[in-house]
Amino acid sequence: RLHAVQNLLGRALDTAPPGPVRLLSLCAGQARDVLGVVPRHPRRNDVRGRLVELDPGNAGVARKGLRHAGLDGIDVLVADAGTTDSAGGAVPADVVLLCGIFGNINDADIERTIRAVPMFCASAASVLWTRHRRPPDLVPRIVDWFAASGFAPVDVVKPAGSLWTVGSHRLVAPPQEFEPGRRLFSFVR
């Protein structure tokens, strides 16, 4: 799954418009997806942005990796990514990562989050997401929710014999105005 996310992230950076590329990653963990691509990507010097991670240990590992890679334009914020406040000042973004979220929140929160994503996006932004396909397989509904929210699919990777999906969508509708203070999701155990 990580390789698929990294591949789609590389493609999103390849197709981003010239100039600075703003990146926002919610629930960024140790930044393995970003650190596996950006340091060696031809657009590395264009990438600026924010990684949001609630766990201070994971955030520390991400910060160290970013420093080691010389990616000074990407900061790490220890915060609850389930609120729009965590993205304040980091949007609109050209690339939004929602990896490791949709398998850990309820269906209503997934839909609410997807419908809010255009407020994080610059025009024609790429959004990457992950989700398992255990029954009931919610991936078709996720794809529909993205379509209803103004996104066109770029790629939906569902390898045969696996239970994971990585999706990439591009915003084709106008971006929405950012709304601070909105609760999008809460993790369920």
Side-chain angles (χ1 to χ4, degrees), residues 90-106:
V91 294
D94 301 293
V95 180
V96 178
L97 282 80
L98 303 171
C99 300
I101 298 174
F102 294 166
N104 296 295
I105 63 177
N106 68 40

Side-chain angles (χ1 to χ4, degrees), residues 49-53 58-60 62-63 66 74-78:
R50 175 177 298 158
L51 311 181
V52 180
E53 173 55 43
N58 282 339
R63 271 192 202 100
L66 291 167
I74 302 174
D75 71 329
V76 180
L77 177 66
V78 177

Side-chain angles (χ1 to χ4, degrees), residues 18-166:
V21 178
R22 290 192 81 171
L23 180 140
L24 173 66
S25 178
L26 301 180
C27 299
Q30 297 179 355
R32 291 181 182 159
D33 42 14
V34 172
L35 289 170
V37 176
V38 178
R40 66 177 187 275
H41 195 277
R43 303 280 312 267
R44 70 168 275 135
N45 294 327
D46 294 336
V47 179
R48 304 282 180 267
R50 175 177 298 158
L51 311 181
V52 180
E53 173 55 43
L54 184 60
D55 180 87
N58 282 339
V61 171
R63 271 192 202 100
K64 183 177 178 182
L66 291 167
R67 267 194 320 269
H68 179 72
L71 297 173
D72 301 329
I74 302 174
D75 71 329
V76 180
L77 177 66
V78 177
D80 178 1
T83 70
T84 57
D85 289 341
S86 66
V91 294
D94 301 293
V95 180
V96 178
L97 282 80
L98 303 171
C99 300
I101 298 174
F102 294 166
N104 296 295
I105 63 177
N106 68 40
D107 298 3
D109 281 359
I110 295 171
E111 182 178 8
R112 181 180 307 106
T113 300
I114 292 170
R115 293 196 184 278
V117 169
M119 79 170 70
F120 297 144
C121 294
S123 182
S126 296
V127 177
L128 281 61
W129 55 272
T130 60
R131 166 70 187 201
H132 64 76
R133 291 196 322 268
R134 292 187 298 272
D137 182 0
L138 199 62
V139 169
R141 289 179 63 198
I142 290 171
V143 171
D144 289 346
W145 288 330
F146 270 107
S149 300
F151 291 88
V154 174
D155 202 350
V156 179
V157 179
K158 300 187 293 188
S162 75
L163 288 177
W164 55 265
T165 301
V166 178

